[in-house]
């Protein structure tokens, strides 16, 4: 339970960072970022595995790069579910945001692992 909450907090920090980097991503404060992180975590647990299995041939041919598109789809679905609380202007921006969120998550998770 603690690691799941920590993961949501790390995702929220990454979402806030991306929201401050780009004007085309709108977040309604810290609460909106936490809600977006919660929805994104739920989508990553339920929808992402289904998308990975369905797109396995494309993912293999692209040497795993299609997983970035899947991450962008889950981020875009988060935008759809949250409406004006969390908005991304276009799918291209969702791909860029997914890449940056993944990088920030990687860095923060490695820092947390080193602290333990």
């Amino acid at each position: 339970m603690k690691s799941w909450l920590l993961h949501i907090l790390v995702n929220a920090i990454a979402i806030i960072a991306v929201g401050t980097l780009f004007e085309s991503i709108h977040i309604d404060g810290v609460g909106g970022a936490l809600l977006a992180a919660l929805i994104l975590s739920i989508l990553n647990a339920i929808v992402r595995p289904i998308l990975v299995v369905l797109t396995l041939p494309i993912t293999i041919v692209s040497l795993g790069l299609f997983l970035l598109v899947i991450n962008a789809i889950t981020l875009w679905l988060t935008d759809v579910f949250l409406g004006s609380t969390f908005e991304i202007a276009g799918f291209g921006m969702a791909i860029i945001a997914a890449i940056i969120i993944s990088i920030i998550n990687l860095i923060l998770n490695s820092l947390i692992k080193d602290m333990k």
Side-chain angles (χ1 to χ4, degrees), residues 11 15 27 31-41 75 78 82 85-86:
N11 262 343
I15 289 170
I27 305 164
L34 284 170
L35 186 59
L38 177 67
I39 299 296
L40 186 60
S41 294
L75 194 60
T78 303
L82 291 180
T85 303
F86 176 70

Side-chain angles (χ1 to χ4, degrees), residues 13 15-16 19 42 58 61 67 70-71 74 87 96 100 102:
I13 292 169
I15 289 170
I16 290 170
I42 292 169
I58 297 170
V61 169
L67 292 173
I70 293 173
N71 288 343
T74 57
E87 293 182 4
I96 294 169
I100 294 174
S102 297

Side-chain angles (χ1 to χ4, degrees), residues 2-47:
K2 279 184 180 179
S3 68
W4 188 67
L5 291 174
L6 185 62
H7 181 71
I8 290 175
L9 183 62
V10 167
N11 262 343
I13 292 169
I15 289 170
I16 290 170
V18 169
T20 57
L21 283 174
F22 299 106
E23 291 180 10
S24 56
I25 297 176
H26 172 73
I27 305 164
D28 280 345
V30 177
L34 284 170
L35 186 59
L38 177 67
I39 299 296
L40 186 60
S41 294
I42 292 169
L43 289 174
N44 279 336
I46 298 171
V47 175

Side-chain angles (χ1 to χ4, degrees), residues 53-72:
V53 169
L54 291 176
T55 61
L56 193 58
I58 297 170
T59 304
I60 292 171
V61 169
S62 70
L63 301 175
L65 291 176
F66 195 74
L67 292 173
L68 295 173
V69 175
I70 293 173
N71 288 343

